[in-house]
């Protein structure tokens, strides 16, 4: 055969890839118009670029500040810059709760979910609304201290100010990159090269990873540049890079994989082959082990190849541990419906960040747990704003073996709903950071959940008497190993004394920004003497800490590895 034909085949494939890439950034009219493809003229400057700062902060996963203040909170991202171009630690900036890797090495650290796509490394997020929907041409992030945390920028098709919610909410990644170390803590304007999208947006989401930072990152403002009409570029001026094509393939693999989940898992017509090759010779367990290294979208694709691999990919043993957080933008009721038959043995489930803006309904969530909740041991629901009282009631009724429940930043759950958690007496870990749990419900939980080992009550502003809560912990929660009381406003030396006397297995205690604790009462000395197993102790911003307290900690807490007395001068 002539060598010309393989070359023609290669050229044809390249031409197809070029057209395929162009189709992603072209409107229907452009694709149907031969003139649009063949024109050698540049786009006419008919659009005036609009520059706007964020109008409002809609949602976020965590922040360093208080719920009743503006200092170090995400709300500082709205409006014009307060600090930039100055560098340094300023209370007028937005700061997330964590930095570095030490959170992964403390007693309260949770085991990671396997099968997380390598492209997903986000730890926190913030969503910002702008006044005018535009086609983005640039996003400027003004970072004023220890920059480099932003790893992903996304745009949403939904207009948060529209009276008519769209039938479908789309999220597109404008820019994404792995965490990278930035030299120096100085302020900078971060302007990554963003992808062109085919819809206007006034809702931008930043996702961050602070694991490489030496201190908290501080953000001052976000500037969105864009035009009202979609820009049109000619083929001649649109340079196509093979590396760009590869990146788009990765976007399809990890970003759009859950879009095909509903279709791919519902495939019933599969090609039949006379044999399955060497797979017929492999033990069932070995094939299962091989497939356990695939991500969920990859399992979807593999399930379409043949009946043997379909059987393996749909085996409930492949879904003992399942994290859908990396695909939060595309998880909906239909996704859960198609996963039901494969999750009958599921023990760990991560639905954090999913279901917002109507993607998951209460009925859809309830149907899923009715089929898949009986074996659940760990349930992650951080920032699940679809959750309400009915959802918590369903969880407590359908998940009798539940040991870990994460409701961090689920701030839409009404206060009275938390009473249902008291029915789950097997709980060992409960995270209620930034929730509206109130005192009566919490006392009931502590009374009936005596197996608790890890409890997070950081920034729970509706609790009126933390001394009473601490007293109940000391009396009922003898197995407590970690306790987060970050920014609790009214605990005193009396509550600390009850806690230290009753919870002597404590290895981690966060009392950061608790202004009512004073060293002169002997509360910190008492802690040091009664809690010898302490490995982590936060006394952040408590200016009363003295040398005697440090000496007592050094003498009695020989396992102490993390001590935060930031703010003590």
């Amino acid at each position: 055969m002539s060598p010309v034909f393989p070359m023609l085949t290669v050229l044809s494939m390249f031409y197809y890839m070029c057209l395929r890439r162009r189709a992603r950034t072209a409107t229907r009219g452009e694709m149907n118009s031969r003139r649009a493809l063949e024109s050698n003229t540049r786009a006419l400057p008919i659009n005036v670029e609009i520059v706007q700062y964020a109008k409002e902060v809609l949602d976020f996963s965590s922040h360093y500040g208080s719920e009743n203040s503006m200092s170090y909170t995400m709300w500082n991202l709205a409006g014009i810059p307060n600090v930039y171009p100055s560098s340094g630690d300023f209370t007028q900036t937005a700061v997330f709760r964590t930095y570095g890797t030490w959170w992964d090495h403390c007693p309260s650290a949770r085991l990671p979910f396997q099968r997380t796509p390598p492209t997903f490394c986000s730890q926190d997020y913030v969503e910002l609304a702008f006044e005018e929907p535009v086609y983005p041409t640039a996003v400027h992030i003004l970072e004023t201290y220890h920059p480099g945390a932003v790893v992903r920028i996304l745009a949403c098709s939904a207009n948060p100010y529209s009276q008519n919610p769209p039938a479908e909410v789309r999220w597109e990644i404008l820019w994404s990159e792995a965490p990278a170390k930035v030299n120096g803590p100085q302020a900078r304007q971060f302007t990554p090269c963003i992808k062109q999208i085919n819809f206007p947006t006034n809702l931008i989401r930043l996702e961050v990873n602070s694991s490489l930072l030496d201190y908290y990152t501080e953000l001052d403002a976000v500037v969105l540049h864009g035009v009202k009409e979609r820009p049109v570029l000619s083929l001649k001026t649109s340079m196509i890079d093979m590396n760009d094509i590869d990146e788009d393939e990765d976007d399809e693999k990890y970003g759009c994989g859950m879009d095909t989940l509903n279709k791919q898992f519902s495939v019933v017509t599969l090609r039949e082959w006379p044999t399955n090759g060497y797979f017929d010779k492999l033990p069932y367990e070995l094939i299962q082990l091989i497939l356990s290294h695939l991500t969920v979208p990859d399992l979807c694709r593999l399930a379409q190849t043949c009946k043997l691999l379909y059987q393996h990919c749909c085996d409930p043993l492949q879904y003992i541990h399942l994290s859908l957080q990396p695909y939060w933008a595309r998880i909906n009721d239909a996704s859960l419906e198609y996963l039901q038959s494969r999750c009958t043995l599921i023990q760990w489930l991560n639905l954090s960040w999913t279901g917002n803006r109507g993607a998951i309904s209460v009925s859809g969530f309830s149907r899923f747990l009715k089929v898949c909740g009986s074996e659940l041991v760990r349930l992650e629901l951080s920032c699940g704003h679809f959750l309400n009282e009915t959802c918590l009631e369903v969880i407590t009724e359908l998940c009798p073996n539940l040991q870990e429940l994460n409701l961090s930043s689920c701030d839409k759950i009404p206060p009275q709903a938390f009473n249902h958690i008291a029915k789950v007496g097997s709980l060992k870990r409960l995270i209620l950071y930034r929730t509206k749990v109130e005192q009566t419900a919490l006392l009931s939980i502590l009374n009936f959940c005596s197996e608790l080992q890890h409890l997070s009550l950081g920034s729970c502003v509706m609790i009126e008497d933390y001394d009473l809560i601490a007293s109940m912990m000391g009396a009922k929660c003898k197995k407590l190993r970690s306790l987060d009381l970050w920014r609790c406003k009214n605990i005193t030396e009396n509550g600390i004394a009850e806690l230290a006397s009753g919870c002597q297995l404590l290895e981690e205690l966060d009392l950061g920004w608790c202004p009512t604790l004073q060293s002169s009462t002997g509360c910190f000395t008492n802690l040091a003497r009664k809690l010898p197993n302490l490995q982590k102790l936060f006394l952040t911003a408590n200016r009363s800490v003295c040398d005697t307290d440090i000496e007592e900690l050094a003498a009695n807490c020989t396992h102490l590895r993390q001590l935060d007395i930031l703010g003590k001068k």
Side-chain angles (χ1 to χ4, degrees), residues 101-117:
T101 60
W102 46 270
W103 284 73
D104 298 325
H105 304 290
C106 56
S108 63
R110 288 164 285 170
L111 293 175
F113 278 79
Q114 302 301 315
R115 284 183 163 157
T116 300

Side-chain angles (χ1 to χ4, degrees), residues 53 55 59 126 129 237 291 325 341 412 463 539:
Y53 292 96
K55 178 181 179 180
D59 189 22
V126 58
T237 57
L291 299 191
Q325 183 180 6
S341 62
K412 302 295 189 295
I463 298 174
L539 302 175

Side-chain angles (χ1 to χ4, degrees), residues 70-83:
M70 289 296 292
S71 298
Y72 297 123
T73 64
M74 287 298 119
W75 299 303
N76 285 319
L77 278 176
I80 63 175
N82 298 309
V83 174

Side-chain angles (χ1 to χ4, degrees), residues 118-192:
T119 55
F120 182 80
C121 55
S122 304
Q123 298 174 332
D124 277 296
Y125 73 85
V126 58
E127 292 180 2
L128 305 168
F130 295 79
E131 182 71 35
E132 294 288 338
V134 294
Y135 291 92
T137 56
V139 177
H140 301 318
I141 304 172
L142 307 184
E143 304 172 280
T144 56
Y145 204 37
H146 289 273
V150 178
V151 293
R152 197 152 74 152
I153 305 173
L154 302 97
C156 184
S157 62
N159 183 342
Y161 301 120
S162 173
Q163 298 298 322
N164 302 314
E168 179 186 5
V169 177
R170 292 175 53 198
W171 285 92
E172 286 289 342
I173 299 175
L174 299 180
W175 171 86
S176 180
E177 199 168 281
K181 184 78 172 180
V182 176
N183 294 326
Q186 292 77 21
R188 71 170 185 177
Q189 176 180 289
F190 180 50
T191 308

Side-chain angles (χ1 to χ4, degrees), residues 537-542 545 550 553 563-569:
L537 177 62
F538 270 31
L539 302 175
T540 317
N542 193 309
V545 176
I550 304 301
L553 288 169
L563 176 63
D564 187 346
I565 53 173
L566 182 69
K568 169 62 182 173
K569 297 181 179 180

Side-chain angles (χ1 to χ4, degrees), residues 268-276 304-308:
V268 293
T269 303
L270 296 169
R271 302 176 68 179
E272 293 192 18
W273 302 93
T275 67
N276 294 305
Q304 299 178 90
T305 57
C306 67
K307 286 188 175 181
L308 174 67

Side-chain angles (χ1 to χ4, degrees), residues 314-459:
C314 297
D315 191 319
L317 292 175
Q318 287 291 336
Y319 302 88
I320 299 295
H321 295 176
L322 177 63
S323 176
L324 297 178
Q325 183 180 6
Y327 320 104
W328 59 266
R330 293 173 172 86
I331 296 297
N332 54 30
D333 281 348
S335 307
L336 298 183
E337 188 76 26
Y338 285 121
L339 282 168
Q340 278 185 20
S341 62
R342 292 144 183 94
C343 295
T344 54
L345 301 178
I346 191 170
Q347 296 178 7
W348 288 14
L349 176 61
N350 186 358
L351 287 175
S352 294
W353 301 5
T354 66
N356 297 336
R357 295 183 174 84
I360 295 179
S361 65
V362 173
S363 58
F365 177 74
S366 302
R367 286 194 302 270
F368 183 80
L369 284 192
K370 186 174 182 179
V371 176
C372 309
S374 61
E375 302 296 324
L376 266 182
V377 174
R378 176 178 175 184
L379 183 56
E380 305 280 340
L381 295 170
S382 174
C383 304
H385 300 314
F386 67 92
L387 296 171
N388 61 11
E389 182 170 3
T390 300
C391 293
L392 287 194
E393 186 175 6
V394 167
I395 290 171
T396 57
E397 290 180 357
L398 300 179
C399 305
N401 299 307
L402 197 63
Q403 296 181 10
E404 300 188 22
L405 179 60
N406 180 3
L407 298 175
S408 172
S409 291
C410 293
D411 53 1
K412 302 295 189 295
I413 301 176
Q416 71 276 4
F418 293 92
N419 282 293
H420 293 290
I421 298 177
K423 303 173 188 175
V424 190
S426 57
L427 274 183
K428 294 182 178 180
R429 184 189 301 269
L430 180 59
I431 302 177
L432 299 177
Y433 168 72
R434 289 192 65 239
T435 62
K436 296 177 181 177
V437 61
E438 47 84 34
Q439 187 163 300
T440 303
L442 185 54
L443 288 172
S444 180
I445 292 171
L446 297 175
N447 186 44
F448 291 102
C449 300
S450 58
E451 297 296 314
L452 276 174
Q453 296 180 17
H454 305 281
L455 178 61
S456 174
L457 300 174
S459 293

